[in-house]
Amino acid sequence: MEYLKITGAVITLIGAIFILFASIGILRMPDVYNRIQAGTKASTLGSILGLFGIGLIHPDWMLKLLLLIMFVLISNPVSSHVLGRAAHYIKVPLSDLTLLDKLEEDTGSETAEKEGDK
Amino acid sequence: MIRNSILLLIIAGLAFIFYHELSAYHGNDGLNETANYYATKGLSEVGAANLVTSVVVTYRGLDTLGEVTILFLTAAILALMFKTSHSQKETQKRITSELLITASNVLLPVIFLVGIYIFINGHLTPGGGFQGGAVLASAMVLMLLSISGRKIKHAVLDFIEAISGIAFVLLGILGIFLAGGFLDNSIFSLGTFGELFSAGAIPVIYSFIGLKVGAELSNIILVLNQTQNVEK
Amino acid sequence: MVNLILTIALLLIGLSFILVVIRFIIGETVIDRVVALDLLTVSSIGLIVMLAHFFGRAIYIDVSLVYGILSFIGVIVIAKYLEKSL
Amino acid sequence: MKYFSVEYISIFAGFILLLIGLWGIISQKNILKIIISFSIIDTSIHLILVSVGYIKNRTAPIIDGPVTRADAAQQVTDPVPQALVLTAIVIGVGITALMLSYALKLYEKNKSLEIDKYKSLKW
Amino acid sequence: MKIKGIAVIFILLLSTWLVLNHSLQLPIILIGVGLAAFLSLIMCDKCSVFNEIKFTPKAFLYTFLYIGVFIFELFKSNIDIARRVLSPKLPINPGIVKAETILQSQMGRLILANSITLTPGTFTIDIIGNTLYIHCVNIEGDDMEQYAQNIVRKFEKYLEVLYG
Amino acid sequence: MVSPIYIIAVLLGIAFLLGLFKQPGANFVRFAAVITLAFPVFVSVGWLIHFIIDPAEPFMVYTAGALPPFSINLKMGLEEAFMTSAVNVLGFFGFIYLYKTLKAQGEKAVVLFLVLIMGLNVVIMTRDIFNLFVFLEISSIALIGMIFFKRDLNSFSAGFKYLIAVTVISSFLLIGIGFIYYLGGTLNIDDFIANNNGLTRGLSTAVFLVLIAVLLELKPFPANGWALDVYQAAHPGINAIISAGTATAALFAVYKLLPFGGDLWLNIAVIIGLITFLGSNFLGISQKNANRLLGYSSIGQIGLLLAVMGFSKHLGEHFQMVFFALFISHFLAKAGLFWLSGLIAKDEIKDWAVLRKKPHLLFLFGLFVFTLIGFPPFPSFYGKWQLVMDLASNYNYWWIGLILLGSIFEGVYLFRWLGYAMKLEPEEGSSIKLDWEKIIPIAVFGLLIFLASYFTNEIFPSNFNINLIPVYFVLFLFVIDFLPAYIKNTIAIAGMGFYAYYIYPDIEQDTLRLVFAGIFLLGGILTMFAGYSVKGRRPGFFPFAIMMYAGLIGLVEAENLFQFFFAWELMTLGSYILIIRGKKSILHAYNYMLFSLGGAYMIFMGIALAYNGHTSISLEMLQTASFPGWAYTLLALGFLTKTAALGFHIWLPGAHAEAESDVSPMVSGILLKGGVFGLLVLFMAMGGEQAGEHPLLYALGWLGAITALGGNLMAVFQEDAKRLLAYSSVGNLGYILFAFAFMTNIGWLTGLTYSINHFLFKTLLFLAIGGVVWRVKTHNMYEMGGLIKRMPWSFIAVLIGIITLAGIPPLSGYAGKWLFYNAVITKGWYFQGAIVFFAGTIAFLYCFKLIYSIFLGQPKDKFRKVKEAPIWYLIPQFILMIGIMVFSARPDLILKPIGDLLSQSAYFPTDPLSWENVTASTNLGYWSGYKIMLVIGGMFVVLLAWLMIMSRKAKNVKQFNIVYAGERPFTPETTHYSHNMFAPFNKALGFLTTPVVTDFWNGVNDTSHAFADSFRKIYTGNGQTYIAHILAYIVIVYLILL
Amino acid sequence: MALIMIVMAFIAIYHKSLQVAVIASGIISLFASVIYIFLAAPDVAITEASIGSALTVVIFFYVLNKIRRIDDKK
């Protein structure tokens, strides 16, 4: 039992580390899209791991936590998708490193007259 | 510049007042008389596991009635303020992302259920009518965002709002006849401690509060959303 | 042991908060800041669950549930606002 | 050292936020900024009130699992300030919504969010 | 077909309710049944989403497979991100690419997009028709179309079975 | 009794229910709301009656099945019952008033209204601080939802300002509540008061925060700009609710919470309240916008009520009475005024002139204004009296001074406003839309004022009880105001006659009073005769005329100072309305009112100083005043404003000259004697002859002499006949003052003789001139001339009058002079005597001018056909002439009993005058009225005959002969022989008539207006500045408290 | 955490962009609600998170949206 708990704790710790990565990521990444990448991905995993780890420590909380995990899994990518979509729509500039932008090519004419956000 | 320094002086004066207030703070050692009453007698009198709920719904029920009324007022005032004379035409919007629509379709029932869970279990777990109501309202927002084609009817919300408000008041009056006074929760049996059907009328009252708050908050947001063409 | 590890985890989350806030402060666009907000809420969910463990109260999980729901909706509303389709 | 416990930190933070909010209300010209300052004030007051009811090493006033019915009075914090804050938060959101709608109406009428522009009534 | 959707929602909600309440007392179950029935009925015009789930043994198996692949990819992606973030040079090579999907059901596309978002260095910016626009942190190889298609295919084959 | 909890339940339940109905124009929603609003009225009034009949223990409502410190409880006691009744009645009628407005706004507005009333009820009843906070917020929010009903920019910005101000205030309240709970351990008001005796630093700060927040809800000056903006911008129907309803609830909240702070906070309340009262009213004086002005006034009144709460320790058992009286006046009058403002629907106070078209509304307007200022018989008069007296017995003179000063400021703008409404020409095409639903509430509140007045009179201590018969008679005349004038005139005369008969036995022995009663009542009857010449209904004249007479006779009847002051104010009120009825009298009536008000408050202050330490308020008490010098001086100054001594005279000429023809004799011949009577009472109190060397008397002597000179001099240079007579009155009153100031037996006799004479001849002259003016329609003497042939009787009247006036033998004027010289010589004030003598010679000049330019010379062409004055003018003139003759022939009939009375009294033991039949003699000589008459009469006949013979040779010349004029006159009238008749004298003495005094008062007026005008610039209109004001206010009060 | 709140408050007041100010105030509420968990007040935490943080921000953005609409029309 004790091992399970320690495993849980370690998993939680890993989750925390991922969250830390995420924050470093959004600090360092050059443009919005990359920040969204770093932010959502790592933080989702981080918090899922955190929740799961606690679930291992307290098995009787597990069901509820799994529900929460499901929720996060569905909602978080969607919100990052919506954010990225919005960012692209209002033409937040991509970083100089960006190689290509297919979406811009396809929808550029449609969004050309819209002005960017301040 | 002079203006700013005068303002700064005022703030400094206020800081001085608050310093006096703060210096009186020295932490707590135990519950005071009032809180002690709630923590000891309150359990048997009210029967709610969540003491905050028992205070909010029963002992200070009149306050709660008041705050529900405040939200009600706010919704009414907004409706008054933004009542439009002519029909509104939809402005051009970008099509909502398909993913979002799907996600909200999946999540909406769950969010509704969570909201209901939060207010029905208000006497056992943290949360209650207001929080549950807020969750319901946020579900409404999600609906509004994802399903732009479908109109959410004011009338339905108003109906829920009115009915639950009246039910709240009626339950309160029932307390005068069946129990110790206005808003006394022991009009129903207190039940077994810690179960869903316990704490007398609290789950019922909180359900009505939850519905009402949800309807009111949704109304507020609907009003802010719907009047796109504002009167000149 | 368990608590020690979790304490370290808590501190790490705290550290990440600070980093995120720095991004928030320097953040070039509003979207950056929204991403920061999102990150903050998601990590708060984890944080609260950990706190639930520390205080030994299962009931706090409900709090994080509500958190999850509402942060999701908040972010969507902001994004919708930003792309002018609210 | 006692000033580093959570209730002291939060109450200090509350008062500082309160002052910042008040400063914002009287120094910012933009109506929406004023409303934001008000919501900061609101939050700070709630923070102060909750810290005022906190008792060290005690847990939330909800009886289940670890907190037993018999000695609840020795284990839980004061529920009253929490109940008050609950009410205050809801009132706060009502008022914020009201302020915002007023701001909206003002903007609609005069196309300006500067509070200086609304001085037609005076003396 | 609606019945199926309603049933799915009903079961989903009822189980959620039971999980939330964390108890199996009779009154709770009763209320849960009532609520779930009520909600699933008023939500039924949106439940087309749930109609698409296929209940076949194969689907059951593929679910587990999918979850496994997904978790694997998830970790991979995160380690990948962590590596990039932590390395001082910040070795990224971003770009937006497009890929076609063969999935038709909404649910399937949602899960596909979510999976893509959560996996290595990619996230779905937009979906127009059958075209997914994917932002990648690091585009590898020369054939970008192929690269993108690979990302999609990874999940598609499982989801196709599940949702069609 | 129905439990008050049902007020909440029913109002809120119906409010929620009404949220269901959405069809626009569903009338039954509002109908249901009216029924619903009647319910709380029923409940609270039921409780009120219950508590009045049976002063039982307060009824407590417990909620949640737990006892108070742990649950919220509501209290319904007498105070709560009264306050909730007030709010609910206001709510009911306010709703009716707003019926159409709410209909235009939709069903939600009705809901807001219901919730507002519910919130106010709970604010009053609750005994829990946090509950108080919640319901204060509810009522504020509901109000904020109604402020923008006009839907213009102003109402929105005002609403926003109100919102942020209320929010900031409630933040402080919330912090305070939190710390009160933390440090005091309870949220229950009673529990806190019972268990917390000493306040520690932290607790006192918490209490400070709570109390200052609740006080700020009362909008104290100067942190109240937001409220003023709301008053200016919101719908007047809403304003009525804010001013009367919300303020009521907030006031009661303060009342509940004040015990938290102990005595210290009582003083703070006094300071805040009085600063508010004074400041607000001061700033109000230069305000032109009606609603904003009402806002200033409203805030001022609330300040006064707050101060009364602070005074509760001094007031003791009188507190409830005083508060009730002041509160109910504010409540009814302010609601009524706001409602009227909504009816007029214009912003400027000048626009209120439109009220002239609706006399009933005008009457209500006047009623509200007088109630507000505190004129009898309205409740606030009683309240102010009791307040001032109780303060005086605790030596709080400065507070009294501030209260009275604030009341004067209030009077300044209210009377200017009333004047505008009564006299200005309404704008072209403006009219009032009479909606029944708007008239009914106003009328009901008007009626309630009378009810409250009656009730106030009942509950105040019995020695205040005054003879209300005249007041009822006045009311009766109001009721029958629709009858034709002649019927009312007859009723009025009959009433006065009957009253004279009725009181005669009471004062038969007291000859001094008898004389004045005679002047007032018989003079009143005589002057009323002239009223028969007026055709039509003459609306509003008789009640106020009778009110003036009622006041005057009340002075004579008064047995204590309260009755005296009551009568004094009644007289002022009546005479003000009489004066303002004149065509161009708006400014003069305003001046008159201001001086009267100032004078009245000086009298009030004087009484207060004298009252100190005494339980009785009888007239005799004046003698034992503890600050006699100040008290006497203030009283004297007060009376002097009414007698128009030099320095206070500027109101008189205009007021008398511009009044209607038959009003001038009333206000000149009769009203001025009221002031004289007051002086008499004062002098008597000073102790008669013993006080002879009192410096005040010396000063008054000088003042009298100078007044006589100045008045007469100015009279000489007048071109307006009535103005001439008016200035002459100033001079004559100077004589009277001078004579009384001798403080000797014979001096008083002189004064009385002068008084009687002045009454006789000035009434006669004004009636005669009034008759002439009635026919020729002008006051200017140079437009008349030669009227002797057309109006012989008027001529004779004027002739008799000026002979008496000038003191020419044989008529009674000479008797006065004879006594006067005796008195001067006895007293030894030779220098002053010389001045008065010189003034007497000047009187000849204007007498001559008067009779010459009107009656002699050639008649004007346009007046060749004028008829004799109306018979109803002539009849009283004949009676007066007979009176003069009788008094001249037999002065002993009156003077002897008075002389006897004086010498018998303790005051004037030395009596140098002895009577032998009709011959009076002193050690300086003797004088016999009818002998002189015979001699002089004979000489007169001879001279007249000679003159008649001479005048045959006179030839007619052109009146406007400008052949010899060096330049072309643009106004030919100015070449008339009687124009600028005494130009040479003007060169010699004109410098004495430079209007120093007028300039002085104008200066005072301008300066205060300029001050108020620049001072109110603190209300910049910027919501943020208002917040800064609030915060600064909090800091400053806190620093003061430290 | 308290420090972050204070920093956020300054951002909320002084940042030029209204959206950022609103988000900052939302973050203040968010942290406040985490502190409420520390202070053993889960009820308040839920309320603050749902109403204070989320709904207020949502309402703010709806209003900002309408203001922008008014601008567009002008």
Side-chain angles (χ1 to χ4, degrees), chain D residues 11 15 18 22-32 34-35 38 41-42 45-46 48-49 51-54 78-81 83-85 87-88 91-92 94-95 98-103 105-106 109-110 115-123, chain F residues 130 133-134 137 141 143-148 151-161 163-164 167-168 170-172 174-175 177-179 181-182 187 228-230 232-233 287 292 296 1013 1016-1024 1026-1028 1031:
Chain D
I11 201 169
F15 274 114
L18 180 59
L22 286 171
W23 169 250
I25 278 193
I26 57 177
S27 70
Q28 290 299 310
K29 295 283 173 212
N30 189 314
I31 288 180
L32 287 181
I34 289 175
I35 299 172
F38 162 69
I41 289 181
D42 227 25
I45 291 172
H46 304 155
I48 293 170
L49 290 193
S51 352
V52 149
Y54 179 69
D78 195 338
V80 180
L84 301 189
V85 171
T87 313
I91 294 176
I95 288 178
L98 208 53
M99 279 183 167
L100 282 170
S101 51
Y102 257 107
K105 271 290 173 189
L106 286 178
K109 301 271 176 201
N110 214 10
I115 195 158
D116 290 352
K117 296 275 163 56
Y118 298 96
K119 294 206 288 194
S120 53
L121 298 164
K122 54 188 164 186
W123 305 332
Chain F
F130 192 75
F133 163 78
V134 172
E137 291 282 293
I141 290 179
L143 259 184
I144 286 162
M146 301 202 283
I147 287 172
F148 64 83
R151 289 178 188 271
D152 55 1
L153 178 63
N154 279 352
S155 59
F156 277 114
S157 73
F160 185 71
K161 289 172 199 171
L163 184 56
I164 52 178
T167 316
V168 169
S170 60
S171 308
F172 284 92
L174 199 52
I175 299 177
I177 288 173
F179 275 88
Y181 175 75
Y182 171 65
L187 288 170
L228 290 168
D229 290 356
V230 168
Q232 189 179 344
Q287 186 53 252
R292 198 175 174 89
Y296 277 108
D1013 215 29
R1016 71 194 171 118
K1017 296 275 193 291
I1018 59 163
Y1019 299 129
T1020 57
N1022 186 338
Q1024 205 163 28
Y1026 295 157
I1027 302 294
L1031 297 182

Side-chain angles (χ1 to χ4, degrees), chain F residues 58-71:
Chain F
F59 177 78
M60 287 293 198
V61 181
Y62 302 117
T63 63
L67 286 176
F70 308 113
S71 70

